[in-house]
Amino acid sequence: MTGNLVIIAAAAVLSCACVFVLIRRAAQLGLVQAPEARSSHVRPTPTGGGIGIVAGALVAGLSLPGADGVSLLILALGLVIALVGLIDDRRPLPARVRLPVQALVVAALLWSTGAAGALAGGLPAAFHLGAAALLLVGGLWWINLFNFMDGIDGIAGQQAILMLLSAMLIAFGTVPGVTGGWTWWMMAATAAATFGFLVFNWPPARIFMGDAGSTFLGFTLFASAMLSLVAGWLSLPQWLVLAALFAGDATVTLLVRLLRGENVAQAHRSHAYQRLSRRFNGARPVSSGFAVVNLLVLLPIAFILPQEVWAWLVVVVVYVCVIGAALACGAGLPDQQPASFNTYRRLLSRSRN
């Protein structure tokens, strides 16, 4: 265990060192993000800091004992996702290029882990195909929504760290011998590498994560969920609870923008968390608030989540609360439009017509 702890610490140090170098060399590398009308920052800021997360996590993953063929494939798939994100950071890629690559990566992950079979259990083959399709769409959406939610200082980093640590804590408290495997320590390494980046990204940020980091973290969280699902450590409802803040905000924002007839591929700043950051004059209260909810509300719920159908009932209640909060914050609406019941009712009426 001592050796693993040294590797975890090294992941944080390597990530921190990479981010420090990137801050100093961002201009030469073409990784400076200038503010735009739809940006949440007001001055040119280095981006691509997620490269530190990728470096720290991948080096640790290769160094940790117990890695098998599936583990190495997952690391390789994460690297592919990060490279596509890095290219997108430097020169935006169209969705027709990004999405097929991401879909192939998620499909390879599902095939290698057998997650669809674990989800469908002993049901007929048709249910296994349905589970695979559901997980493919869910994985693709999660990777992209995690990228969408990386819009203010500190929010994506804290979300990744707390989701990983929460899952680790739940597994540690319920599954004997869980610390003897590669997966549990890889989750710790990713959290440590993310912390090495978050030191520089916590409000006011000195560097942004960029697509390389956000898509890598989205993929790694999804891969961790699939591995823990197959191993029987955590259930899908537990992961859905831990992901509720990000999944709820991003999904509500997307649907509202669709109802408003907007181009959903266009950059915007109408997420609930972005509107809140403008209301509270900065990212710190919002990122801190998300961290508090993750730690003091969602983690305890996921930890004591009941089994079978009752677990899904709890998931529904959690998401109803999150969706209601997102709507109350005006998710998907422009700055000048206040959130109200009548606003959303008019949007629904217009869409029906």
Side-chain angles (χ1 to χ4, degrees):
M1 180 177 290
T2 301
N4 287 350
L5 291 174
V6 171
I7 293 172
I8 301 308
V13 173
L14 177 58
S15 173
C16 194
C18 287
V19 174
F20 179 78
V21 171
L22 284 166
I23 292 174
R24 300 289 296 271
R25 303 295 182 184
Q28 294 93 316
L29 295 171
L31 291 172
V32 175
Q33 185 173 316
E36 301 174 351
R38 298 178 184 272
S39 302
S40 296
H41 62 292
V42 296
R43 63 170 180 261
T45 304
T47 188
I51 295 172
I53 299 174
V54 177
L58 292 185
V59 170
L62 291 171
S63 305
L64 288 168
D68 56 15
V70 173
S71 305
L72 295 176
L73 176 60
I74 289 173
L75 293 178
L77 294 173
L79 178 60
V80 171
I81 286 288
L83 289 174
V84 172
L86 179 60
I87 295 170
D88 199 32
D89 282 331
R90 291 177 56 87
R91 182 177 299 175
L93 292 173
R96 68 177 181 274
V97 175
R98 287 184 290 104
L99 293 180
V101 175
Q102 292 171 352
L104 288 173
V105 167
V106 173
L109 169 69
L110 297 176
W111 170 78
S112 64
T113 58
L119 183 62
L123 296 174
F127 287 89
H128 286 245
L129 290 174
L134 181 66
L135 290 176
L136 177 61
V137 173
L140 194 58
W141 175 230
W142 174 252
I143 290 171
N144 284 280
L145 78 81
F146 203 90
N147 184 28
F148 299 157
M149 294 293 289
D150 177 32
I152 60 172
D153 302 347
I155 195 166
Q158 67 78 27
Q159 182 74 19
I161 291 172
L162 290 179
M163 283 185 67
L164 289 166
L165 293 183
S166 295
M168 290 170 60
L169 180 61
I170 293 171
F172 182 79
T174 57
V175 182
V178 70
T179 59
W182 179 87
T183 300
W184 195 87
W185 287 102
M186 182 60 197
M187 293 165 67
T190 305
T194 305
F195 178 78
F197 160 78
L198 192 59
V199 169
F200 299 95
N201 181 247
W202 192 251
R206 295 176 59 189
I207 190 170
F208 298 148
M209 184 180 294
D211 291 356
S214 60
T215 53
F216 175 81
L217 281 179
F219 171 78
T220 303
L221 285 165
F222 185 73
S224 299
M226 296 302 99
L227 289 170
S228 66
L229 182 66
V230 171
W233 297 352
L234 274 78
S235 66
L236 185 57
Q238 286 176 305
W239 276 105
L240 289 173
V241 169
L242 295 178
L245 288 181
F246 266 35
D249 188 348
T251 303
V252 169
T253 300
L254 175 70
L255 293 176
V256 171
R257 294 186 70 218
L258 280 172
L259 290 175
R260 295 181 58 237
E262 287 192 2
N263 178 6
V264 294
Q266 186 178 22
H268 67 95
R269 56 176 196 167
S270 57
H271 283 283
Y273 75 89
Q274 290 171 317
R275 288 174 61 99
L276 284 172
S277 70
R278 292 191 293 278
R279 183 180 303 175
F280 292 110
N281 298 316
R284 189 186 296 269
V286 181
S287 294
S288 300
F290 269 54
V292 169
V293 174
N294 278 320
L295 188 61
L296 300 184
V297 179
L298 297 182
L299 169 57
I301 291 174
F303 199 99
I304 63 173
L305 200 64
Q307 298 299 314
E308 305 302 332
V309 67
W310 293 108
W312 288 103
L313 180 60
V314 173
V315 171
V316 170
V317 172
V318 168
Y319 273 79
V320 166
C321 294
V322 172
I323 289 170
L327 291 172
C329 294
L333 299 177
D335 286 349
Q336 66 276 13
Q337 191 168 10
S340 69
F341 175 78
N342 287 332
T343 299
Y344 291 112
R345 182 174 58 82
R346 285 193 297 269
L347 283 176
L348 286 173
S349 300
R350 188 188 310 164
S351 65
R352 291 169 184 165
N353 296 330

